[in-house]
Every structure is written in structure tokens, then in C-alpha cells.
Amino acid sequence: MKITASLVAALTVSLVAGTASAQDARIRWGDLDLSSAAGAAAFDARVAAAASRMCRGVKRPASRIIDRAFCRTAFRDEAVRQLPGAVQVDYALSRLPVVL
């Protein structure tokens, strides 16, 4: 008999904006096949949309300068890091260019 564990197919990414406030974003991925280019692209779009909302007015650590690009990159890296290991591998492989 095969027993399968059920995983919550959503990520909660935390972002510290400024010194006193913290925000969370939930990114659903359970309905996507991250081993396919289309699934990975849909995941990327969801992460980008969440990062756009979360990164308004966020400053780079130890700086007074607002840096949305830094925030979006850090947000994306954290979202991918929170994927289960095998899913991270599938996602990474689907992002590689196709060479014919």
C-alpha cells in the first residue's frame, strides 16, 4: 500500500519592509506543473505579481534608498527556496533553454 503525504501547495513569503513592519504573501503553486515551461512561467508571473505588491517602498538593507529591483529579486529567490526540493529541481530544469 502506498501512503502519500498531502502538502499545502502554497508558499508564504515574508518580507520585512522598513524596520517595524513585516508582510506576508501567499503564492499558490499546487495547480501548476513546475516541470513544464508553461507551469514555471505561470509560477514566475504569480511571484512577480506578489513581489510588485510587496516591494512598494522597500529599501535595501542598511540604506535609505528605495530599491524595488533588489526587493523583487530577493522575493523571487525566497519563493523558489521555499518550494520542496524535488519541485525546485523540476522548476530549475524547466527554466533551462531548449537546445536542439
Side-chain angles (χ1 to χ4, degrees):
M1 178 196 291
K2 187 174 182 180
I3 300 173
T4 335
S6 174
L7 298 173
V8 175
L11 306 172
T12 302
V13 181
S14 296
L15 177 68
V16 176
T19 56
S21 64
Q23 300 175 345
D24 291 329
R26 292 186 54 84
I27 302 164
R28 295 180 45 89
W29 60 271
D31 60 328
L32 301 174
D33 176 7
L34 296 185
S35 66
S36 72
F43 177 74
D44 289 342
R46 291 177 187 182
V47 170
S52 290
R53 288 189 306 273
M54 298 288 287
C55 291
R56 291 185 186 122
V58 172
K59 297 175 182 151
R60 183 183 288 253
S63 176
R64 293 183 181 182
I65 299 170
I66 293 174
D67 191 345
R68 286 188 204 129
F70 172 81
C71 176
R72 287 181 186 141
T73 299
F75 187 90
R76 181 193 168 284
D77 291 347
E78 179 63 16
V80 172
R81 188 191 68 75
Q82 287 189 27
L83 291 169
V87 177
Q88 283 183 28
V89 171
D90 288 343
Y91 171 78
L93 291 173
S94 71
R95 305 313 299 154
L96 293 175
V98 176
V99 178
L100 301 175

